[in-house]
Amino acid sequence: MSVSVQAEDFDVGAEMAALTSGRADIGALVSFTGLVREMAGGNEMVLEHYPGMTEKALEAIEAEARGRWELQDCRIIHRYGPLEAGAQIVFVLTASPHRQAAFEAAEFIMDFLKSRAPFWKKEAGGGWVDAREADEAALGRWC
Amino acid sequence: MSVSVQAEDFDVGAEMAALTSGRADIGALVSFTGLVREMAGGNEMVLEHYPGMTEKALEAIEAEARGRWELQDCRIIHRYGPLEAGAQIVFVLTASPHRQAAFEAAEFIMDFLKSRAPFWKKEAGGGWVDAREADEAALGRWC
Amino acid sequence: MQVLYFAWLRERVGLPREEVETSAATVAELVEELKARGERYAVAFKDMAAVRVAVDQELTELGASIKGAREVAFFPPMTGG
Amino acid sequence: MQVLYFAWLRERVGLPREEVETSAATVAELVEELKARGERYAVAFKDMAAVRVAVDQELTELGASIKGAREVAFFPPMTGG
């Protein structure tokens, strides 16, 4: 199981080392780390999620990526709860013999996760972050 | 200066932490790590390079990426010398407010670096690794 | 059946989840029943273009059947990542 | 002018760099002069489709001028990353 939904922070170096440890068949490792950007209305946000469905949704996205690309391994971590500006929110790591597969799979996972995993962002000012049309549109290229 | 050409290994976690430290304006961080895959003819290879030109070529690739995408920072590390199977060869890190810019810039840098930075791989068996047509073709999509 | 609400749907309805007895066959019919419960529900479900639904933790459409479902969740478009 | 060789060009020529006195105006003319130096050079430069060149550390073409150049380097297609 390589999907984690957690309140705690994560260590990208340790995650990458754990994935490559003891093997020499991986050629390309791509990571995406999403960070909380400083906001106009205060520097904290809260990520609400749907326990149970979140894990299922991320596992389904990972399975879809593994079906589409030659992946040797894959890791997805998504945090929830209160997060300050600068904090890590999400981490996606893909390993493949080939760089293009690793890049595309990581982009695919991020594109689906943005609009299909049940998370909702609320800014410190009290407003819920609106879904971006650009995020929905980004799914189009994978269909 | 964010380009390093070195014989020593590098620490991806430390590189990422150094780039994001003390700032909260980055939204997306994409890393690519290239690793030596185990080879048929022995598990060591040697990377030869052209000191002086290598640094210039990598800096030119980085400058081109910064001109094309909204990058807040960028880091390129490339090793040379003897490298064992499983070892890290190359590292590219891009930071942007937006994930698509960070992904595309990292892919662009890797595509150019593969065919335009003066490195040559020699396998333990004594044979020089041939350039791949797929690598040359990969440049086409950026032109 | 458990009905769950997230984000501003939770805030507008005023609770995160509730047990609902229903004979509705589809999500859309369930929404009509809920809207009839009072002002808070009517406000929450006013703009259904902004509401997403999951039946037993699978994203689906308003026309989907809820026969035999254990859990129906309503929430705004997702904003993860 | 310094002439540099890398990878199998270095191995075939038998040295990594040398000082060359030349009146060649272009890379192509320089290659012809070098090939005339002997068998090792002739073998190294036999298939020019497999040879890349940099003048003063900038990638360029065989037709490029080398007037005033300090450094001309020959090498196979690059295989970094």
Side-chain angles (χ1 to χ4, degrees), chain A residues 96-136:
Chain A
S96 173
H98 309 295
R99 74 182 184 286
Q100 200 172 350
F103 269 121
E104 288 185 4
E107 285 185 80
F108 171 88
I109 290 168
M110 279 306 305
D111 281 350
F112 271 79
L113 184 158
K114 278 264 171 189
S115 306
R116 294 291 182 269
F119 289 98
W120 302 276
K121 293 192 181 104
K122 188 177 194 174
E123 293 184 349
W128 292 93
V129 174
D130 282 329
R132 293 172 64 235
E133 277 183 35
D135 284 333
E136 188 64 34

Side-chain angles (χ1 to χ4, degrees), chain A residues 16-129:
Chain A
M16 291 168 80
L19 195 142
T20 56
S21 171
R23 60 192 294 178
D25 56 337
I26 297 173
L29 204 58
V30 168
S31 81
F32 177 89
T33 311
L35 304 162
V36 181
R37 291 170 63 190
E38 51 205 352
M39 292 152 274
N43 278 324
E44 193 178 87
M45 51 164 278
V46 177
L47 253 177
E48 180 171 336
H49 78 122
Y50 181 172
M53 178 172 165
T54 311
E55 290 80 355
K56 278 190 195 174
L58 295 180
E59 283 164 17
I61 293 167
E62 183 192 330
E64 178 71 22
R66 284 180 182 265
R68 289 184 181 220
W69 289 278
E70 185 185 349
L71 295 185
Q72 295 165 309
D73 211 337
C74 183
R75 179 89 173 101
I76 303 175
I77 306 175
H78 206 303
R79 295 176 69 189
Y80 60 84
L83 293 167
E84 296 199 346
Q88 304 184 125
I89 309 178
V90 59
F91 180 67
V92 172
L93 182 61
T94 54
S96 173
H98 309 295
R99 74 182 184 286
Q100 200 172 350
F103 269 121
E104 288 185 4
E107 285 185 80
F108 171 88
I109 290 168
M110 279 306 305
D111 281 350
F112 271 79
L113 184 158
K114 278 264 171 189
S115 306
R116 294 291 182 269
F119 289 98
W120 302 276
K121 293 192 181 104
K122 188 177 194 174
E123 293 184 349
W128 292 93
V129 174

Side-chain angles (χ1 to χ4, degrees), chain B residues 5-141:
Chain B
V5 180
Q6 61 190 47
E8 304 76 46
D9 199 8
F10 48 84
D11 179 336
V12 299
E15 293 294 338
M16 291 170 79
L19 195 142
T20 55
S21 172
R23 60 192 296 178
D25 56 337
I26 297 172
L29 204 58
V30 169
S31 81
F32 177 89
T33 310
L35 305 163
V36 180
R37 291 168 62 190
E38 51 205 352
M39 292 153 275
N43 278 324
E44 193 177 86
M45 52 164 278
V46 177
L47 252 177
E48 181 171 336
H49 78 122
Y50 182 172
M53 179 172 164
T54 312
E55 290 80 354
K56 279 189 194 173
L58 295 180
E59 283 164 18
I61 293 167
E62 182 191 330
E64 178 71 22
R66 283 180 183 265
R68 289 183 181 221
W69 289 278
E70 185 185 351
L71 295 185
Q72 294 165 309
D73 211 337
C74 183
R75 179 91 172 101
I76 304 176
I77 306 174
H78 206 303
R79 295 176 70 189
Y80 60 85
L83 293 168
E84 296 198 346
Q88 303 183 126
I89 310 179
V90 61
F91 180 67
V92 171
L93 183 61
T94 53
S96 173
H98 309 294
R99 75 183 183 284
Q100 198 171 353
F103 270 121
E104 287 186 2
E107 284 185 81
F108 170 88
I109 290 168
M110 279 306 305
D111 281 351
F112 271 79
L113 186 158
K114 278 264 171 189
S115 306
R116 293 291 181 269
F119 289 97
W120 302 276
K121 292 191 182 105
K122 188 177 194 173
E123 293 184 349
W128 292 94
V129 174
D130 282 329
R132 293 172 64 234
E133 276 183 36
D135 285 333
E136 188 64 33
L139 301 187
R141 66 171 162 151

